[in-house]
Amino acid sequence: MRAAALLALLLAAVLAGCGSSKTAKDAVAPSDLAQAAAGASKIGTTRFSMELHTGAGGKNYAITGGGVMDVRHRRGRITLDMSDLAAQLGQDPSGFRGEEILDGLVVYMRLPFLSRLVHAPWVKLDLQKLGKATGIDLSQFTQFDPSQILAYLKTISGGVKKVGTEQVRGVDTTHYHATADFDRYPDAFPPDRRDAVRRSIKKIETLTGAKTFPMDVWIDSAHRVRRVHFAYPLKPSVGAAAGTSQPFSMTMEFFGFGTPVHVTPPPASQTKDFSELSGLGAGA
């Protein structure tokens, strides 16, 4: 597999779990979910953890990470551990542990196996540029933000079920379950943006083979999102994996609200732009 293609797939998998925009006015949800959406939108910074599971050809792997995010300014730092994937590829696990820096719509990745390939410490991904190349508006799928993830509530195609009360990291929460519908997502945007968002959603549906997906949300007594969970099979209709079923699940937890965030992007002299990686050799 080309290293650049691998990186793009991993990025798409992570970003597909996160959405953005406002909560729909007609979202079918209990009042405390609506209050949670309003409360989450006021969060300045938060710490979070992430665990993603996916795979192909009967081989499954996990990607884990965590970090801190300045929601309002879309800036943050994330540690990333893809050593499980390295084991599947027969590679040195230490080369698949690193970090990301988020600076608005620009993402910087530092992973040893990539650094060796590009002869630079950091790989730079401009999401606007990448979005134009893929036909997907990635600016709508980039924030590790409780309020943005709650935006999927506007796509609910069935009733919300209150599962019960549970603790998340020692905090009492209420657990809800619902089914979200990608096709409803563009309707929550202003009319002049809906066509562009709709085109992006159609691309994602083609790439993932999913139009609806189950969603679980855990909310505390202060109406803050503490955990979200998605789990559904990916059935792409294009590419080498077309027609096959691949597992996908992601869990994110949020805590440490108000944590200070200090982020400095790496200097240009230490970065290599993702758009320049297409020439990496096949079979790597």
Side-chain angles (χ1 to χ4, degrees), residues 19 40-41 43 46 69 71 143-150 252 254:
S41 65
I43 293 173
T46 180
M69 184 74 186
V71 173
Q143 296 192 51
F144 297 97
D145 168 8
S147 67
Q148 305 304 329
I149 291 175
L150 264 184
M252 297 183 74
F254 302 90

Side-chain angles (χ1 to χ4, degrees), residues 122-171:
W122 296 86
V123 174
K124 175 184 176 181
L125 298 98
D126 185 318
L127 298 182
Q128 286 185 321
K129 184 186 297 184
L130 189 59
K132 289 180 180 179
T134 61
I136 299 175
D137 184 0
L138 292 175
S139 67
Q140 304 305 324
F141 305 91
T142 59
Q143 296 192 51
F144 297 97
D145 168 8
S147 67
Q148 305 304 329
I149 291 175
L150 264 184
Y152 275 129
L153 288 174
K154 68 183 156 301
T155 72
I156 290 173
S157 57
V160 175
K161 177 183 177 182
K162 181 177 178 179
V163 179
T165 57
E166 302 171 19
Q167 285 202 333
V168 177
R169 293 179 180 263
V171 176

